[in-house]
Amino acid sequence: MVAAGPKEKIDKPEGWEIPGAITKHVVLDPGIAYTTADVLMFAGTNPVGLGAMLTATGIAATLKTAAVLQPSWLDKHPRFKQFVFDDRTPLRAGALALLVVAGATVASGAWLPAAASFLFAAANFTLAESISKKHIADVKDKPAAVPKKGLARAAEIVATIFKRPDIYLNAGFALAGLMAGGAALFILPVVAVAFVIGVKNSIQNRPEHEGHPKLLTGGAAAAFAGIGQTNGHGLIAGAHLLNAVVLAEMERRITPGGAKQIFKNVLTAPLKLLGFGKDKAVVAEQKPGVTPVVTATPLPVVAVNSNLRIPGPEVKPADLDKVDLQQVFALKAKITPPTPANENLQPAAEAIQPPEHGNRPPKIAAP
């Protein structure tokens, strides 16, 4: 199982920093914690599963400790060092152990635990890809792809569904919940909703964290923990409780914005279902036949300068003696006097009876 890809960058601790680094990167590693939950799951029910998961947990913890301490002998084995620093290794080790458990359980005739082990193995492999740092960075920087149509789109949807962990994770938890007790049937609708959200995200080409299906599955796991404790299955209850914490951490890792964004989405989800909290422009785009109203920005009013004069033609200084400036700047257009507003005005008296020439006094009208 040679890994060539995502590596978790860990600063080498020294002295008093070592215990904190081991706690952070080994004890709290979601892959190791997830494998530890399987140890508790099989501790009281399946000796083969217990041995396999203990082995996987020990190998994963040893390799992760080597990645934290970074001994000098790793530099002499570059391929092994690459494998050690791959942040997918703990979950992959747990997946291989679960495959061993599934095979041994099928041989004994216990089909329910065998099916759950196989589904969890497939979930581990796909979860290792989803939460790896390189995968998260690639998805963030990935350009928008050209949408496909027809059979190509159908094949893409099927491939996306089986590449993502939600289908295996929720199906496995449904079977594991039945192992916790019959009351788990009341929690299965929550698992079914998480399953539908995961499939819907794949069909609509949405990110894996949309709707937070892993958080719903983690909530169902917490409910399974309570059911297992009520029925006297303390180890199984502990396994489900640990799974709930791990799934919440995995959802935090793959969600842009982390826990803060998850809390915001959870709090605003009921409001969005009721139609609140949506942008008006977005609502208008979603409704067919509704055109968003766009307010036009008024153009600035430019004042007209009535005293603006049109410049005359340019004349070179050397040609001033040769050009008749009066002719150049003469007005070419005849200015027409404005028409009076009232056309019914009577003409002036001088226009009707022009004055006589000379100094003779005017005639006096007869009485």
Side-chain angles (χ1 to χ4, degrees):
M1 188 172 57
V2 178
K7 305 170 188 63
E8 184 176 1
K9 296 181 180 179
I10 302 174
D11 296 331
K12 184 177 181 179
E14 297 180 358
W16 58 270
E17 298 176 344
I18 294 178
I22 291 178
T23 302
K24 178 181 178 180
H25 297 290
V26 180
V27 179
L28 299 180
D29 182 270
I32 296 177
Y34 202 54
T35 310
T36 305
D38 292 331
V39 173
L40 298 177
M41 184 75 68
F42 296 116
T45 58
N46 192 330
V48 177
L50 175 62
M53 299 314 301
L54 279 175
T55 303
T57 304
I59 293 174
T62 302
L63 295 176
K64 200 67 177 182
T65 303
V68 173
L69 300 179
Q70 303 176 26
S72 57
W73 58 266
L74 281 178
D75 297 331
K76 300 178 182 179
H77 308 280
R79 291 179 65 84
F80 183 71
K81 180 180 179 180
Q82 194 176 34
F83 169 72
V84 168
F85 276 86
D86 194 331
D87 59 355
R88 301 172 296 183
T89 297
L91 281 169
R92 286 177 169 180
L96 291 176
L98 284 168
L99 289 178
V100 173
V101 174
T105 310
V106 167
S108 63
W111 293 99
L112 187 63
S117 299
F118 177 78
L119 290 171
F120 281 135
N124 275 28
F125 279 120
T126 51
L127 279 171
E129 296 293 336
S130 294
I131 70 172
S132 65
K133 288 180 170 54
K134 184 177 184 301
H135 175 76
I136 295 174
D138 291 343
V139 171
K140 182 179 179 181
D141 300 334
K142 185 179 180 181
V146 179
K148 299 180 180 179
K149 298 180 180 180
L151 293 177
R153 177 58 183 153
E156 184 183 35
I157 292 174
V158 173
T160 304
I161 290 175
F162 285 97
K163 284 181 181 178
R164 293 184 176 182
D166 300 303
I167 182 174
Y168 312 107
L169 194 63
N170 291 290
F173 265 99
L175 298 181
L178 294 177
M179 294 169 60
L185 291 173
F186 297 100
I187 312 299
L188 290 183
V190 179
V191 181
V193 170
F195 178 87
V196 171
I197 292 176
V199 174
K200 183 180 178 181
N201 289 341
S202 301
I203 294 175
Q204 297 181 351
N205 201 22
R206 292 182 175 181
E208 189 177 326
H209 61 81
E210 285 287 337
H212 305 301
K214 294 179 185 59
L215 198 63
L216 287 174
T217 308
F224 291 153
I227 295 172
Q229 183 64 31
T230 303
N231 293 334
H233 303 302
L235 293 176
I236 295 178
H240 283 301
L241 186 60
L242 188 55
N243 282 330
V245 176
V246 172
L247 288 173
E249 169 62 15
M250 291 180 178
E251 193 71 80
R252 184 195 68 82
R253 286 196 176 195
I254 67 174
T255 302
K260 183 178 180 180
Q261 185 62 40
I262 292 176
F263 284 129
K264 180 179 178 181
N265 295 341
V266 171
L267 292 176
T268 57
L271 296 177
K272 289 182 179 181
L273 290 176
L274 297 176
F276 299 99
K278 292 185 178 181
D279 190 9
K280 294 181 179 180
V282 175
V283 174
E285 290 179 1
Q286 291 176 352
K287 292 182 179 180
V290 177
T291 304
V293 178
V294 181
T295 304
T297 305
L299 297 176
V301 179
V302 181
V304 179
N305 188 359
S306 58
N307 298 324
L308 185 63
R309 301 183 65 181
I310 301 175
E314 295 183 0
V315 180
K316 296 182 180 180
D319 299 335
L320 289 176
D321 299 336
K322 304 177 182 179
V323 179
D324 186 359
L325 298 179
Q326 185 176 1
Q327 183 180 2
V328 170
F329 288 97
L331 294 176
K332 301 299 183 181
K334 183 178 180 182
I335 299 176
T336 305
T339 305
N342 189 355
E343 297 179 354
N344 298 322
L345 289 177
Q346 295 295 328
E350 293 79 4
I352 301 175
Q353 186 177 0
E356 297 182 2
H357 298 282
N359 297 325
R360 190 170 51 183
K363 294 180 182 181
I364 298 175

